[in-house]
Amino acid sequence: MPAADPIVTPRRAGRWPRRRLALWAGLLAGCVLLAFVVYRYAEDAAIGRLRLTGTQRLDTDTSSLEHLLSKYDFLPGTFELNKDVIAMLQRPGDEALRTEVNVYLERVNRLARSTTIYIVNLNGVTQASSNWREPDSFVGDNVAFRPYVRDAMRGAPGGFYGVGTTRGEPGYYFARGVYRDGRMLGVATVKVNIESVEGGWADAGGKVLLADAHGVVFLSSVPAWKYRTLAPLAPGVRQELEQSRQYFSHDLTPLGLREVRVLDSSARIVAVPGVRGAMLSQSRALVTRNWQMVYLSDLAPARASARAAASLTLLSEALVIMLVLYARQRHRLGRQRLRAREDLQRAYDNLESLVAERTASLQQMTRELREENIVRHQTEEQLRKTQGELVQAGKMAVLGQLSAGITHELNQPLTALRTMADNARVLIERGRIDDARANLATIAQLVERMGQLTGQLRQFARKADATLSAVVVADVVAAALFLVERRIAQERVGFRMSTHARDLYALCDSNRLQQVLVNLFSNALDAMEMAGSTERQLVVDAERNGARVLITVTDSGPGIPENIRAHLFEPFFTTKPQGKGLGLGLAISEQIVREFGGHLRAEPAPGGGARFIVDLPRAE
Ligand code: ADP
């Protein structure tokens, strides 16, 4: 199976690739930048709204103040219309007239709702006053040093805000010359308390202040700001103010406003001591007076809404990033799932083809095995056939060795038969029928004997497949002995068969066992003959040994030397001269016995000869 891509891209834990890190850093910076831009935009928008409100407030407050002041503008000019006022200024010593004027001024003051009205002569001494009854009456006071008096005496209508020098009460002073026939006789002054506007400002919210041309705050919705200055006063200005005692004994210390940002000529953001956070400051110059009104609004709500907008932006960005990440993750998971499915499919296909391959090779192997089996069977069959033929060849070899003796065995009776047949014919011719009959009977015996021999030979030479059966051991020993007994007799070998129990059975093929025994007998006779032994003994013994039958063939020959014994059962091993031995007898005999489930072995005989033991399974 091909190695599938890992589901998770291998990444060293805790270390991001530099590109990814840069990307995230850039994204983060972008988000923060956007939030900052949104913050500034929202702040600017909120400030814009505040400015609109401030502008409206300034419009309202300046116009109402101007309206208030304009109501009194004409009043000082009306006193020259009063005859008593003119007469009093022309005749300063007339006390009755002064009282008349005092009462008049008192009445007008009440009607006009002004603070004080008083008239001074050209020396600046107060001649009559609406507060003439009060203990601190202005009558007799010299007010020539007051700027509004000075202005009026110079012919300019005086307008002045100041703090009274008697009671220290602030107010706006309207002053105008009193003329008779184009000549100035004195100055009429009306003092109006305009501090009431402060209450209205405070009620409307926000912080409002009114400053004079020098920047001295003289009206304010915040009491602590009064008689303070917007900026430090120049020394000359301060000296002038102290001389004119415009603000009585107040210190006129700076408010300490700090400019943070200038929005335009009439608006700026300032930090105000004692107030948390910055404030928006808007100013407006009054049309009729050299004053400026300043409106201060709290920036905290604007900044809070800007912060909220920025926070919302950050949240939205986080949400978008999360959504993108989620979508990417989903996409990646989907891809991985698809890849896994493909891998699985590939693995399945591979498995299928592998199974098909293996099945094919198994079938091939089975076919080959079957063919090999057939070949093996054929080979085994061939081997069996070859072995059979080998056994047969061995048998023929034995027969070949026996043939000289057998020929001799047959020739003797044949010669006797011929003589006796001739004798029989002569006896018949001579009429000796009984002798001839006796002769013929002997002939019949001889023929039967010869038939027996040839029958045994035919039986031995017969080519037959080995079939296992219970075989009487004594019968097979006797049949084998029959084929070699002439040689035993000729070579004067003492033959002994010690045990020949008729009930000893071995599980084997009688014909082949006979072949084995003939072989062993022939070898024993050969060994004794070749060694020229004088005392020749061949002993055959058959005995039962548990589930086995042991047939031993012992001779009194030279025995088997140690170096030869190891090679006894090898094919073509022989010590006999050429033409006498093939070296196949023991090899074939050993194979025959092995096929019976037995074994053949050789050992030295106690008397010095050789002993061969055929060990066979016993049959019941
Ligand atoms: P062959 O008889 O043709 O030589 P065998 O396989 O029958 O072949 O015997 C092999 C050899 O075993 C013989 O040549 C002989 O040297 C030895 N041998 C067999 N039987 C005896 C025996 N009884 N005594 C001594 N030597 C023997």
Side-chain angles (χ1 to χ4, degrees):
M1 191 174 109
D5 286 353
I7 289 188
V8 175
T9 319
R11 186 187 296 151
R12 266 173 293 170
R15 276 186 69 180
W16 276 11
R18 195 171 296 169
R19 246 190 63 191
R20 184 176 286 255
L21 202 69
L23 193 78
W24 274 102
L27 190 66
L28 208 67
C31 287
V32 171
L33 188 70
L34 183 63
F36 181 70
V37 168
V38 167
Y39 176 85
R40 288 308 291 264
Y41 179 79
E43 191 190 45
D44 285 351
I47 288 174
R49 284 194 297 278
L50 278 180
R51 283 182 70 174
L52 205 66
T53 313
T55 307
Q56 284 167 357
R57 271 298 296 276
L58 285 172
D59 285 348
T60 316
D61 290 349
T62 52
S63 67
S64 66
L65 184 63
E66 300 218 55
H67 177 68
L68 174 70
L69 294 172
S70 68
K71 277 201 310 191
Y72 295 97
D73 269 343
F74 70 96
L75 193 56
T78 58
F79 293 110
E80 65 184 18
L81 303 175
N82 187 295
K83 291 194 304 293
D84 293 341
V85 171
I86 298 294
M88 181 194 72
L89 287 173
Q90 284 174 335
R91 296 196 300 275
D94 192 339
E95 286 302 318
L97 201 55
R98 185 191 304 272
T99 307
E100 279 290 315
V101 175
N102 276 336
V103 171
Y104 168 69
L105 292 180
E106 189 181 31
R107 207 169 62 240
V108 174
N109 187 51
R110 197 166 49 245
L111 287 171
R113 292 189 184 149
S114 48
T115 309
T116 323
I117 301 174
Y118 53 99
I119 292 170
V120 298
N121 64 13
L122 289 176
N123 295 324
V125 179
T126 308
Q127 299 301 303
S129 175
S130 62
N131 63 353
W132 64 285
R133 290 182 210 270
E134 310 290 327
D136 50 356
S137 161
F138 291 175
V139 180
D141 289 355
N142 191 330
V143 292
F145 63 95
R146 300 287 269 179
Y148 55 92
V149 176
R150 284 207 308 264
D151 286 350
M153 281 184 183
R154 276 202 306 271
F160 176 81
Y161 188 88
V163 180
T165 50
T166 317
R167 290 195 197 167
E169 278 181 2
Y172 190 80
Y173 296 85
F174 298 85
R176 193 177 182 279
V178 179
Y179 292 89
R180 181 70 181 183
D181 301 328
R183 199 168 60 90
M184 187 187 286
L185 298 177
V187 173
T189 304
V190 177
K191 180 184 179 184
V192 179
N193 186 346
I194 56 170
E195 278 189 312
S196 58
V197 295
E198 291 174 333
W201 293 347
D203 292 346
K207 293 175 169 55
V208 185
L209 60 85
L210 195 62
D212 68 10
H214 303 304
V216 178
V217 178
F218 58 90
L219 283 179
S220 171
S221 61
V222 182
W225 291 356
K226 271 166 82 167
Y227 310 116
R228 311 282 299 274
T229 60
L230 295 177
L233 290 174
V237 174
R238 180 174 287 279
Q239 198 181 1
E240 186 191 323
L241 288 174
E242 276 168 6
Q243 272 174 9
S244 68
R245 302 180 70 190
Q246 185 176 353
Y247 297 108
F248 195 43
S249 57
H250 291 293
D251 279 349
L252 308 180
T253 51
L255 261 177
L257 296 184
R258 190 167 50 79
E259 199 170 80
V260 176
R261 181 150 62 107
V262 177
L263 302 176
D264 61 29
S265 60
S266 66
R268 61 204 61 208
I269 291 171
V270 294
V272 184
V275 176
R276 255 189 85 221
M279 299 193 89
L280 171 66
S281 160
Q282 289 171 272
S283 60
R284 169 79 54 84
L286 266 74
V287 180
T288 54
R289 271 134 197 109
N290 197 9
W291 296 345
Q292 64 165 332
M293 186 179 275
V294 179
Y295 179 75
L296 289 150
S297 35
D298 195 358
L299 274 181
R303 294 215 158 143
S305 80
R307 269 200 303 277
S311 305
L312 203 68
T313 307
L314 279 175
L315 274 175
S316 310
E317 286 166 352
L319 193 71
V320 168
I321 288 172
M322 273 161 67
L323 278 175
V324 169
L325 284 178
Y326 175 71
R328 267 172 56 98
Q329 190 64 17
R330 266 192 68 125
H331 181 65
R332 192 181 301 162
L333 272 177
R335 262 195 358 234
Q336 282 166 357
R337 216 172 291 146
L338 195 71
R339 208 179 304 150
R341 203 178 303 146
E342 282 170 5
D343 287 345
L344 206 66
Q345 184 64 45
R346 241 194 321 274
Y348 180 74
D349 294 347
N350 281 346
L351 197 68
E352 268 198 338
S353 66
L354 206 67
V355 167
E357 251 173 50
R358 289 281 154 85
T359 310
S361 86
L362 266 177
Q363 282 171 345
Q364 175 70 17
M365 272 164 68
T366 313
R367 250 195 318 276
E368 284 171 6
L369 264 177
R370 204 175 296 138
E371 280 163 15
E372 272 176 26
N373 213 18
I374 291 168
V375 171
R376 193 168 60 81
H377 271 109
Q378 284 172 349
T379 312
E380 277 176 5
E381 188 56 36
Q382 189 69 37
L383 186 66
R384 220 179 352 262
K385 239 167 88 183
T386 311
Q387 281 173 344
E389 278 165 10
L390 191 64
V391 170
Q392 191 60 21
K395 213 188 275 182
M396 289 307 143
V398 171
L399 275 179
Q401 284 171 357
L402 294 175
S403 62
I406 291 166
T407 311
H408 179 73
E409 183 80 354
L410 288 176
N411 273 343
Q412 263 189 333
L414 274 176
T415 314
L417 273 177
R418 190 183 173 142
T419 313
M420 289 181 87
D422 287 347
N423 287 347
R425 188 162 39 87
V426 173
L427 286 171
I428 289 168
E429 281 172 1
R430 289 179 187 167
R432 289 165 61 186
I433 297 302
D434 287 341
D435 290 338
R437 191 175 289 130
N439 244 3
L440 285 173
T442 308
I443 288 170
Q445 275 175 0
L446 281 174
V447 169
E448 193 177 337
R449 166 105 183 117
M450 285 170 71
Q452 242 181 0
L453 183 61
T454 52
Q456 278 290 337
L457 280 174
R458 203 171 52 243
Q459 173 70 19
F460 181 69
R462 156 175 80 94
K463 185 181 176 186
D465 287 340
T467 48
L468 293 184
S469 60
V471 168
V472 180
V473 175
D475 286 354
V476 183
V477 173
L481 190 62
F482 182 79
L483 293 178
V484 292
E485 65 185 355
R486 270 140 230 94
R487 208 180 147 192
I488 288 172
Q490 257 174 18
E491 293 172 13
R492 292 192 179 82
V493 175
F495 180 81
R496 192 155 48 83
M497 192 161 156
S498 61
T499 307
H500 42 274
R502 296 272 337 149
D503 57 349
L504 197 56
Y505 294 85
L507 189 63
C508 60
D509 179 85
S510 58
N511 186 257
R512 297 219 167 160
L513 181 58
Q514 184 187 3
Q515 183 179 345
V516 171
L517 292 177
V518 168
N519 235 314
L520 295 180
F521 294 165
S522 300
N523 276 348
L525 294 173
D526 286 348
M528 289 186 289
E529 186 192 9
M530 279 164 67
S533 311
T534 45
E535 191 64 31
R536 298 180 187 181
Q537 281 291 335
L538 180 61
V539 180
V540 179
D541 188 17
E543 63 176 5
R544 171 188 171 151
N545 182 16
R548 315 292 295 178
V549 173
L550 301 181
I551 305 167
T552 51
V553 177
T554 313
D555 65 59
S556 58
I560 307 158
E562 190 65 32
N563 59 332
I564 282 178
R565 202 180 307 157
H567 306 287
L568 278 184
F569 301 102
E570 287 174 10
F572 305 109
F573 175 80
T574 179
T575 56
K576 293 174 189 170
Q578 210 171 3
K580 189 119 175 90
L582 277 176
L584 281 175
L586 284 179
I588 291 170
S589 296
E590 196 271 342
Q591 187 193 316
I592 290 170
V593 173
R594 192 150 26 89
E595 275 177 11
F596 293 160
H599 48 260
L600 173 65
R601 63 178 192 275
E603 59 182 41
R611 170 178 287 170
F612 284 82
I613 301 159
V614 182
D615 182 339
L616 292 173
R618 197 167 64 82
E620 291 299 331

